[in-house]
Amino acid sequence: MERMAVAIPEGTYSAQLDKSPHLGYVCPHLKVPVRDAAAGGDAGIRIHIANTPIQVEGCIATGTCIDGDALDSSRAAFDKMMAVLPQEFSVTVESIPAD
């Protein structure tokens, strides 16, 4: 889930696991140069747990399915993702055509 008004531009970005000062737990931290430059440094783009679009301010949320305006099983999906991620990796962001 991502809020389109603050969507991450399509592309491939480097990422690493570290503790988010805002969220208080370890999660993937993406380096998005255009967003980092606009923020005057690190924009703090993360992949994290969230259930509604308002909880995602330019980041990406994990989940198993979208139910109306809510993302289901965000924590379970996040935990499953974290169990297999290496310390450093890349993330590709692509648009999905609307039906």
Side-chain angles (χ1 to χ4, degrees), residues 4 11-12 18 35 44 66-67 75 77 84 87 91:
M4 295 313 294
T12 299
D18 62 17
R35 298 281 294 281
I66 296 175
D67 184 13
R75 180 172 302 278
V84 299
Q87 180 62 37
V91 173

Side-chain angles (χ1 to χ4, degrees), residues 17-57:
L17 300 180
D18 62 17
K19 185 174 180 178
S20 165
H22 176 72
L23 298 168
Y25 57 87
V26 174
C27 58
H29 182 184
L30 281 65
K31 296 296 180 187
V32 182
V34 68
R35 298 281 294 281
D36 292 342
D42 179 16
I45 305 300
R46 301 279 177 166
I47 300 174
H48 62 84
I49 300 163
N51 297 109
T52 62
I54 197 69
Q55 296 172 313
V56 184
E57 296 185 21

